[in-house]
Amino acid sequence: LMDIDPRQALHLSKDIRISAIGITSGLTHEQLVELGNIVREKGELQSADMECEGKMGDGYMCRLEYAPFLFPVVVTAYKGIVETFGYDVRLDLTQAFLYNEYTGPSGEYPWHIDTNETLMTDMKASYIINASVEQYECGRFHIASNGMTNTAVPQLDTPGEGILFRSTTLHKIEPVVSGKRRSLVFFFEGPHWR
C-alpha cells in the first residue's frame, strides 16, 4: 500500500480540479479471486434495489470482517480522505462494502452520486477499486466535475487500481461490451456537512 501524496490528485482538465486521487489497493489477482468467492458465498445480493437507479448489473453488500485482508485497504483510503480532503469521517472496520459485477453486453451504471439514507451521518467519500479477475471490453469508469467535464479514468482499467473521490462527484461505469467488470466500493461517512 502506498502513502497518499496530494500531488497525485487527478487533474482532469486545465480549468477544473477534481477532488480525486488515484490509490493502488495492493490487492493481488489471487486476493481479487478470493474476494469474489467470499462475496458470492456470504454477500447479500442488492441488484433488485439498484435497478430503479438504472444500474444494469449485480451488486452485493458484504461485511468487511469476511475479508480481513481488506483492512489495510480501508485504512489507507481513510488516511487519504483525511489528508487530501480534510474530511471528518469515521474509520469503521465493521462496515459493509459493495461489490458490483457488470456483465457484457449491457452491464453499466449510469451517471450518479453516492448517497446514504441515514439521518445520522452524511456520505463524504467513496473509494472504488477495479476488482476484475478476467478480461472485459469497455466498461470504463468516468468522473465529471460541475456536471460539465466528463473524463474517463484510465487508472481504473487495471485490476487492483483505485480512485478515492468526493461522494457528491458525478461518476458512471460505461456499458461493458463483453466479459465481466467487477468493482469493489467503500463508502466513508461522517458528521453532517456544516
Side-chain angles (χ1 to χ4, degrees):
L1 301 176
M2 59 188 276
D3 290 327
I4 307 303
D5 181 349
R7 292 171 296 185
Q8 293 175 318
L10 302 175
H11 293 270
L12 301 177
S13 79
K14 291 181 180 179
D15 301 320
I16 301 171
R17 179 173 176 214
I18 299 286
S19 291
I21 185 167
I23 303 177
T24 299
S25 71
L27 295 173
T28 66
H29 176 80
E30 291 75 20
Q31 287 174 316
L32 294 175
V33 169
E34 181 181 355
L35 179 61
N37 293 335
I38 290 168
V39 166
R40 281 182 285 288
E41 179 183 326
K42 299 183 184 249
E44 182 179 327
L45 185 62
Q46 303 287 307
S47 61
D49 295 337
M50 300 296 191
E51 288 173 6
C52 63
E53 298 174 14
K55 177 180 170 186
M56 300 299 291
D58 290 330
Y60 297 85
M61 291 300 292
C62 191
R63 294 171 55 114
L64 191 55
E65 67 189 55
Y66 296 138
F69 57 89
L70 294 177
F71 289 166
V73 175
V74 173
V75 170
T76 298
Y78 169 80
K79 289 178 182 177
I81 294 164
V82 172
E83 293 172 12
T84 303
F85 304 137
Y87 287 168
D88 180 9
V89 294
R90 294 181 308 195
L91 176 58
D92 183 0
L93 295 178
T94 65
Q95 72 174 320
F97 59 86
L98 179 61
Y99 185 88
N100 289 321
E101 295 183 329
Y102 308 96
T103 304
S106 60
E108 68 175 309
Y109 202 167
W111 289 110
H112 65 283
I113 61 171
D114 296 331
T115 61
N116 61 1
E117 296 179 8
T118 177
L119 298 175
M120 303 302 289
T121 60
D122 286 332
M123 188 174 297
K124 297 193 173 184
S126 303
Y127 180 34
I128 297 179
I129 299 168
N130 183 331
S132 301
V133 295
E134 60 194 48
Q135 293 280 27
Y136 61 91
E137 187 179 348
C138 293
R140 293 191 98 179
F141 177 85
H142 291 254
I143 195 165
S145 174
N146 299 327
M148 301 181 311
T149 304
N150 169 9
T151 305
V153 180
Q155 293 91 328
L156 276 180
D157 292 343
T158 304
E161 292 296 314
I163 184 171
L164 178 64
F165 59 95
R166 291 184 170 129
S167 297
T168 56
T169 303
L170 278 171
H171 57 283
K172 74 173 183 173
I173 298 291
E174 69 182 22
V176 175
V177 173
S178 65
K180 187 177 286 193
R181 185 192 197 287
R182 295 173 172 94
S183 298
L184 170 61
V185 187
F186 298 100
F187 302 109
F188 293 86
E189 299 178 358
H192 292 298
W193 297 108
R194 296 182 195 113

